[in-house]
Amino acid sequence: MELAFGPLLSFRPTKTDTRETDGSQASRHGPFKLHHQGGTRSAACCATQRAQVPELSLENEKHNLLRAIQDTQRGLVTNAHQRSDIEEAMVNLECYCSGALIDLVKLDGTWRLQYTSARDVLILLESAATLPFFQVGQIFQKFDCLDQSNGGVVYNVVKWSIPTLLEEDNGVTLLVSAKFSVLSARNIYLQFEEVTLENINISGELQALIAPALLPRSFLSLQILQFIRAFKARIPLGNQDRRSVGGLYYLSYLDNNMLLGRAVGGGGAFVFTRAQPLES
């Protein structure tokens, strides 16, 4: 950083600079004119370098955070030293968004979970690590707020599976939807609405058991397969007499490809990176 600012700070006007004040004098002193132009170019170059320094520093902080979480299995396997390093890296990155308003255009889209310290998510990951009949695939957070001014809808999406019965890592989609509203510069309030179980993809082995490929498939077997594929279960989280569960969520950092969030009240921290849109 000192090298980037060096040429600008070391530039000093010469005696010729202070003495030549009118156009006629400047035209008689070619060396002064060339020196002045060079100084202008040097100052412009340094200004460009100075503008690039925060961006380079920001990318370094993002890299440091991704490096700190890369061996944690999305937060499942961490020790005290790793958790300290991750928290420090998050705080360093959060400084770049301190006080800035939430940009709903940037927020809109699909984000893939890379790390969390939230217990409710870690319980899922622990279950998948210990139970042979349960797998957890990718976890996403999808924001739908592109054309909104003060909120939108957010979906927590978990891809999970049962080995031999469902497709690996993508057997069923568990989706928790919530409306959110912007309360302050970085805080949003989530009002959870419903839990949905959908997009059931059974394994090839189960399909063969229901409708063997070597035998003519009956109308009943085809109906069973169609029913499984189209099955969708919805569980509302509230009704007219009772409001659903809600909570505060602090969006501590946001840019085009990274999102950091913290559930207010000790609910844990989250690190997301931009992902491709989910298939509906």
Side-chain angles (χ1 to χ4, degrees):
M1 186 177 294
E2 292 179 357
L3 293 176
F5 288 104
L8 182 60
L9 296 180
S10 62
F11 177 74
R12 295 288 186 276
T14 62
K15 291 182 179 180
T16 309
D17 295 344
T18 57
R19 187 173 58 250
E20 308 299 348
T21 57
D22 62 88
S24 59
Q25 288 176 313
S27 65
R28 292 196 302 269
H29 293 275
F32 162 72
K33 186 175 182 180
L34 291 176
H35 175 76
H36 179 73
Q37 288 177 336
T40 302
R41 286 196 299 270
S42 176
C45 179
C46 290
T48 301
Q49 288 177 321
R50 180 166 51 186
Q52 291 174 345
V53 167
E55 183 177 349
L56 292 174
S57 178
L58 172 60
E59 291 303 315
N60 286 336
E61 296 296 352
K62 291 164 66 174
H63 176 73
N64 290 339
L65 176 57
L66 292 175
R67 183 173 56 188
I69 65 177
Q70 67 180 355
D71 295 325
T72 65
Q73 298 181 33
R74 293 182 287 188
L76 177 63
V77 181
T78 59
N79 54 43
H81 179 71
Q82 287 175 306
R83 289 191 293 272
S84 176
D85 286 346
I86 293 169
E87 179 63 22
E88 181 179 356
M90 288 187 66
V91 170
N92 289 341
L93 190 53
E94 288 165 344
C95 291
Y96 287 86
C97 270
S98 178
L101 296 176
I102 299 170
D103 188 336
L104 294 181
V105 175
K106 286 183 179 179
L107 183 61
D108 183 83
T110 304
W111 302 86
R112 187 193 311 274
L113 180 69
Q114 301 294 347
Y115 169 84
T116 185
S117 60
R119 285 304 307 164
D120 53 348
V121 181
L122 292 179
I123 288 174
L124 284 177
L125 300 178
E126 290 170 357
S127 299
T130 56
L131 299 176
F133 55 84
F134 182 62
Q135 292 180 343
V136 175
Q138 298 295 336
I139 300 175
F140 302 94
Q141 203 162 65
K142 179 183 177 183
F143 286 88
D144 184 3
C145 53
L146 185 59
D147 299 321
Q148 305 298 317
S149 60
N150 195 40
V153 180
V154 59
Y155 303 91
N156 294 316
V157 184
V158 180
K159 302 284 188 176
W160 61 279
S161 179
I162 299 175
T164 72
L165 296 181
L166 303 174
E167 286 187 5
E168 185 176 356
D169 295 331
N170 193 31
V172 182
T173 298
L174 177 68
L175 188 148
V176 181
S177 63
K179 289 183 178 180
F180 76 89
S181 56
V182 178
L183 296 184
S184 62
R186 310 301 299 179
N187 284 299
I188 63 175
Y189 181 75
L190 303 178
Q191 189 71 49
F192 294 99
E193 293 189 312
E194 68 176 14
V195 177
T196 304
L197 199 65
E198 61 182 14
N199 297 335
I200 300 177
N201 301 303
I202 63 176
S203 65
E205 295 92 331
L206 184 56
Q207 288 189 49
L209 182 63
I210 296 172
L214 299 179
L215 296 176
R217 294 189 170 184
S218 66
F219 176 77
L220 178 60
S221 62
L222 291 176
Q223 286 294 98
I224 293 174
L225 291 176
Q226 182 63 29
F227 173 79
I228 293 174
R229 294 191 184 107
F231 178 81
K232 180 181 291 188
R234 286 191 171 98
I235 304 173
L237 298 177
N239 52 47
Q240 296 180 348
D241 301 323
R242 179 178 59 86
R243 293 189 66 186
S244 61
V245 178
L248 283 175
Y249 191 37
Y250 179 65
L251 301 177
S252 57
Y253 179 84
L254 170 65
D255 66 13
N256 290 324
N257 51 40
M258 183 170 282
L259 169 66
L260 307 185
R262 295 178 182 271
V264 178
F270 301 84
V271 177
F272 295 92
T273 54
R274 180 77 71 177
Q276 293 297 318
L278 296 174
E279 295 181 3
S280 56

